[in-house]
Amino acid sequence: MKHSIKRLTQRLLTVMALFSLLFPLAATAATPEEKGLAIAREADRRDAGFKDFTADLRMILKNKHGQKSVRKIRVRTLEVAVDGDKSLTIFDNPRDVKGTAFLTFSHKQSDDDQWLYLPALKRVKRISSRNKSGSFMGSEFAYEDISSQEVEKYTYKWIRDDIYNGRECFVVERYPVDKKNSGYTRQVSWIDKSEYRQWKVEYYDRKNSLLKTLTFKEYQQYLGKYWRADQMYMVNHQNGKSTDLVWSNYKFQVGLKTRDFTKNSLKRVR
């Protein structure tokens, strides 16, 4: 009898360990807050290790009357293992924004460092953390939207499971730690259960009213692991404007270095 109980206990422990491996969120996340954080950490873990990438970007701005303007942009990103990523955004077209460059150093525990080079003024302007809710280059993306979305910048809560465009998704609410300077009270994300890709985000303003919705389309996988959306569409429900980001020519692990992301290099970027 004693040996039978011991064998049964061992089998139960084996089953529990297997369950924990197959369903880590269900096994370890006891509360909605813990589950939300676990989902965010898993999504971040799956995207770790890409090292660097470059990409081309078309930014399509549309006003409430449907009039469009298009900007051509290049993006460079460097992964930083112990902190947030570094990114450089360079505007090539049209003529009125050509040569404008935007540099971001994201941080896990402190405010991001952001600088904007304006060729017409021939000066580098630092973006204050107090202005991170402002519009980035007239688009419907705020400065805080385009910086690296570090897990530590938010607290989380799993709301429910849902089906979005035929995909089983977690619905997770996240709240900015920097409540004073963020333009949002909360964001609600739909993240698929299979690959932990984000498909939709709803942004709620400081009055807790729906401000914007961001949707992702046509994900592609790179290096057999890293997923990137070909299209990111942001619509502002309060002013009727929208911004469409169309990505192309992704190249990973091209050998970017820290010296490629310095404030002094902004004026010389090509």
Side-chain angles (χ1 to χ4, degrees):
M1 181 69 174
K2 183 177 180 181
H3 292 295
S4 296
I5 293 174
K6 184 176 181 180
R7 285 196 296 271
L8 179 60
T9 301
Q10 289 174 336
R11 288 174 183 172
L12 286 172
L13 289 172
T14 300
V15 170
M16 290 172 65
L18 181 60
F19 184 82
S20 177
L21 288 172
L22 293 175
F23 307 102
L25 294 176
T28 61
T31 68
E33 289 78 11
E34 289 171 341
K35 186 172 182 177
L37 177 58
I39 293 167
R41 284 177 172 168
E42 178 63 15
D44 185 64
R45 184 192 70 79
R46 292 187 180 215
D47 197 52
F50 65 83
K51 295 184 180 178
D52 62 58
F53 73 81
T54 62
D56 293 333
L57 177 63
R58 277 195 306 133
M59 175 186 282
I60 305 167
L61 309 177
K62 185 186 292 185
N63 65 22
K64 63 181 179 180
H65 303 296
Q67 297 169 317
K68 294 181 180 180
S69 60
V70 180
R71 294 168 176 175
K72 293 184 179 180
I73 301 167
R74 286 173 289 144
V75 177
R76 303 170 186 171
T77 296
L78 177 69
E79 184 179 34
V80 181
V82 296
D83 202 1
D85 300 339
K86 299 179 186 296
S87 66
L88 179 62
T89 303
I90 307 156
F91 287 77
D92 291 328
N93 225 296
R95 177 182 287 181
D96 62 339
V97 295
K98 181 177 175 61
T100 300
F102 180 67
L103 178 65
T104 294
F105 293 177
S106 296
H107 302 296
K108 293 180 182 293
Q109 302 291 348
S110 59
D111 291 335
D112 296 342
D113 293 311
Q114 296 180 316
W115 299 270
L116 183 68
Y117 173 64
L118 302 169
L121 301 178
K122 295 183 179 181
R123 62 185 291 263
V124 176
K125 175 185 177 183
R126 184 180 179 90
I127 306 299
S128 169
S129 61
R130 296 190 300 273
N131 296 327
K132 69 180 183 179
S133 62
S135 168
F136 173 65
M137 295 295 290
S139 75
E140 296 313 303
F141 286 83
Y143 285 101
E144 62 183 305
D145 301 335
I146 62 172
S147 63
S148 180
Q149 303 294 294
E150 307 300 332
V151 173
E152 293 81 1
K153 292 293 181 67
Y154 302 89
T155 57
Y156 301 85
K157 183 179 181 181
W158 169 80
I159 302 299
R160 64 183 185 276
D161 291 340
D162 196 8
I163 303 296
Y164 179 76
N165 285 348
R167 298 178 180 87
E168 292 188 8
C169 291
F170 303 109
V171 182
V172 176
E173 202 164 62
R174 68 180 191 178
Y175 317 91
V177 172
D178 184 7
K179 296 181 175 67
K180 180 180 178 181
N181 294 314
S182 175
Y184 313 117
T185 54
R186 59 191 175 103
Q187 302 171 22
V188 183
S189 300
W190 278 253
I191 302 167
D192 73 52
K193 294 184 178 182
S194 59
E195 301 291 346
Y196 286 75
R197 296 168 297 190
Q198 201 165 220
W199 289 95
K200 183 171 80 166
V201 184
E202 293 179 344
Y203 299 83
Y204 291 81
D205 65 16
R206 290 173 177 171
K207 296 180 180 178
N208 205 26
S209 297
L210 179 61
L211 174 62
K212 303 184 297 189
T213 300
L214 174 63
T215 51
F216 300 78
K217 295 181 180 178
E218 299 179 14
Y219 271 95
Q220 306 290 337
Q221 191 178 42
Y222 298 88
L223 303 182
K225 181 178 181 181
Y226 305 107
W227 292 95
R228 296 293 184 273
D230 285 348
Q231 185 177 6
M232 300 166 63
Y233 179 70
M234 181 79 85
V235 58
N236 189 313
H237 303 289
Q238 296 184 11
N239 65 18
K241 298 179 181 180
S242 66
T243 300
D244 201 1
L245 301 182
V246 182
W247 297 82
S248 62
N249 297 327
Y250 270 105
K251 294 179 183 178
F252 282 77
Q253 299 180 4
V254 296
L256 295 175
K257 305 296 182 183
T258 301
R259 64 176 176 268
D260 299 316
F261 299 84
T262 66
K263 186 177 67 171
N264 291 332
S265 69
L266 278 174
K267 298 178 183 179
R268 302 189 302 272
V269 74
R270 295 289 184 271

